[in-house]
Amino acid sequence: GEDVEQSLFLSVREGDSSVINCTYTDSSSTYLYWYKQEPGAGLQLLTYIFSNMDMKQDQRLTVLLNKKDKHLSLRIADTQTGDSAIYFCAPEDAGNKLTFGGGTRVLVKP
Amino acid sequence: GAVVSQHPSRVICKSGTSVKIECRSLDFQATTMFWYRQFPKQSLMLMATSNEGSKATYEQGVEKDKFLINHASLTLSTLTVTSAHPEDSSFYICSASGGDYGYTFGSGTRLTVV
């Protein structure tokens, strides 16, 4: 099955950019999603990228996909304190199932 | 659009009793619903996938007699934890596909078995 890895923790100063990295193993992944989870809450879809794209920008969010290296990243520009949360990458396989990474806890310091 | 309502948000039950968790798609028809379990500071683990009107497909290691899933309509799926024990205490999250944005997640249910 798919194996998805993320770094555990990222600390960033307010106003700086955050970059969250993700690697996956299933080269047949179709869509790749980024979700945000705040304490005690469900998951909020942030953005996604289709596997035939290498970049997608959506306001403060930029997703980069290196399909050859199976590497996905999420860049958050001008990081705010409200961006403090856990971020999950989740590739979707050909069977329409999501596999979640372990999550990256982002802490934004004022 | 694409809202999924999950209830209850928090439940405490006695060991040996059963608990039902509901997941509703409010403004779209959910062709498929998924149930996940999340332990503290860990990722989401898929428990089962359900399609309306058919039996759920359970992931390896998930006891189907313990975690009963019913998907009777295109807008409602339920997860019943039967004969709950303290080790079943966890955060359970549902998601639904069929809306505009791929997968929409519920807000989760914190189950505590005492």
Side-chain angles (χ1 to χ4, degrees), chain A residues 3-88:
Chain A
D3 189 22
V4 183
E5 299 283 339
Q6 294 179 239
S7 51
L8 286 178
F9 183 73
L10 175 67
S11 178
V12 63
R13 290 214 176 273
E14 191 175 14
D16 288 350
S17 293
S18 310
V19 179
I20 305 167
N21 293 300
C22 172
T23 58
Y24 60 99
T25 56
D26 185 355
S27 58
S28 67
S29 296
T30 51
Y31 287 91
L32 300 100
Y33 296 87
W34 282 102
Y35 289 92
K36 175 183 180 183
Q37 185 180 35
E38 299 190 39
L43 272 66
Q44 173 195 349
L45 175 66
L46 289 178
T47 187
Y48 65 92
I49 190 167
F50 189 52
S51 57
N52 68 353
M53 300 168 65
D54 51 21
M55 188 183 89
K56 180 179 180 182
Q57 187 155 359
D58 185 358
Q59 299 182 324
R60 292 192 297 125
L61 305 177
T62 303
V63 180
L64 296 178
L65 174 62
N66 182 327
K67 202 174 175 183
K68 174 177 168 288
D69 294 340
K70 301 189 193 69
H71 182 269
L72 182 72
S73 68
L74 174 68
R75 177 177 179 270
I76 306 173
D78 186 26
T79 312
Q80 303 297 305
T81 54
D83 294 325
S84 290
I86 301 175
Y87 292 79
F88 292 96

